[in-house]
Amino acid sequence: MTNTLSKQRDTRREGGDLIAGWPSPPAGGWTADDLDRLPDEGPNGEPDFFKHVELVNGELVFMSPQKRFHESVIYGLRTALNAQAPHHLKAVTQMDLLLGKKQRPCPDVVIVDAEAAKDRSRTAYTPDETHLVIEVVSPESRFRDHEVKPKLYAETGIPNFWLVEDKGGDPVIHVYQLDPVNHLYLITGIHHDRLKTGEPFDIDLVLTCLPD
């Protein structure tokens, strides 16, 4: 038998009325599917209020404006990686990962199956389509990038993870690979000037000369 209250809550979600009680979450809390139904404007008509938001542990996380370092490294890595990637893989930015009902982070760069990237209607990718996740650390995201997100990515089996730090205006990349038994990332190297690796494909990057 269908519970009437549950049906009303489902109707609220389907109808897009997710922020009627803002800042309280909708009944049952936020879910990954809700991010596709958020309105363009905020509760008081603020434009693009939900444009840069992700879901971590069931909580909406609003991302701060990017610094130039952040934007430059994201663009440079995406461009350089796509120049070297085999035809079946593609580097993309500002795309969510669906890691569970309460988990929908938005990494800075991900390498996914090229076939999945061809679908222009997609708003997110799944772990089985994802080969590398890259997070560029900023002061406000440091705890999430160091402690929270790597655990989520490892638990869902994403094989490769990079953490990019700002060292005097130059990127330093910490490279990790998944231990498939314990579902933890193990560091394989810290790269200052040049990064060479065979995972998820043969990569050779001069970090001080990324496209800008």
Side-chain angles (χ1 to χ4, degrees):
M1 183 170 62
T2 302
N3 182 282
T4 303
L5 180 58
S6 297
K7 182 180 289 187
Q8 289 174 345
R9 289 171 176 171
D10 291 343
T11 302
R12 261 189 64 188
R13 288 187 183 276
E14 292 301 324
D17 189 16
L18 296 172
I19 61 170
W22 184 267
S24 299
W30 296 102
T31 70
D33 289 342
D34 287 336
L35 267 65
D36 285 328
R37 294 193 286 269
L38 288 170
D40 294 331
E41 296 183 342
N44 298 307
E46 304 93 335
D48 297 328
F49 186 80
F50 294 105
K51 185 176 182 179
H52 299 292
V53 64
E54 57 186 347
L55 184 72
V56 178
N57 294 331
E59 297 182 357
L60 293 183
V61 177
F62 290 84
M63 291 171 276
S64 300
Q66 293 180 0
K67 291 185 178 180
R68 172 64 175 135
F69 171 84
H70 202 273
E71 184 273 337
S72 176
V73 171
I74 291 173
Y75 171 81
L77 287 175
R78 175 182 178 174
T79 303
L81 289 169
N82 277 329
Q84 300 180 23
H87 71 278
H88 65 282
L89 296 177
K90 183 77 172 178
V92 299
T93 61
Q94 295 184 328
M95 291 295 294
D96 294 353
L97 296 182
L98 286 173
L99 305 184
K101 184 178 180 180
K102 298 289 186 179
Q103 310 291 356
R104 185 168 165 172
C106 183
D108 291 309
V109 184
V110 292
I111 291 180
V112 297
D113 293 334
E115 193 62 32
K118 287 180 182 178
D119 185 351
R120 299 299 180 90
S121 67
R122 293 283 293 268
T123 59
Y125 300 108
T126 58
D128 60 296
E129 298 171 321
T130 307
H131 303 265
L132 168 64
V133 176
I134 304 173
E135 294 285 3
V136 181
V137 178
S138 57
E140 61 87 21
S141 71
R142 180 168 297 277
F143 179 76
R144 292 194 303 276
D145 292 341
H146 278 259
E147 303 293 337
V148 180
K149 288 186 176 182
K151 293 178 182 178
L152 297 177
Y153 301 145
E155 287 171 356
T156 55
I158 296 173
N160 299 283
F161 173 67
W162 293 3
L163 194 68
V164 185
E165 300 274 8
D166 179 357
K167 298 297 182 182
D170 291 323
V172 173
I173 301 183
H174 301 242
V175 173
Y176 298 84
Q177 286 187 325
L178 181 68
D179 174 354
V181 176
N182 297 309
H183 293 279
L184 297 171
Y185 285 123
L186 304 177
I187 193 163
T188 63
I190 301 175
H191 304 265
H192 292 260
D193 300 314
R194 188 176 185 183
L195 189 160
K196 293 186 71 174
T197 181
E199 297 293 338
F201 54 88
D202 288 335
I203 297 171
D204 187 354
L205 302 176
V206 179
L207 302 182
T208 55
C209 296
L210 292 174
D212 192 34

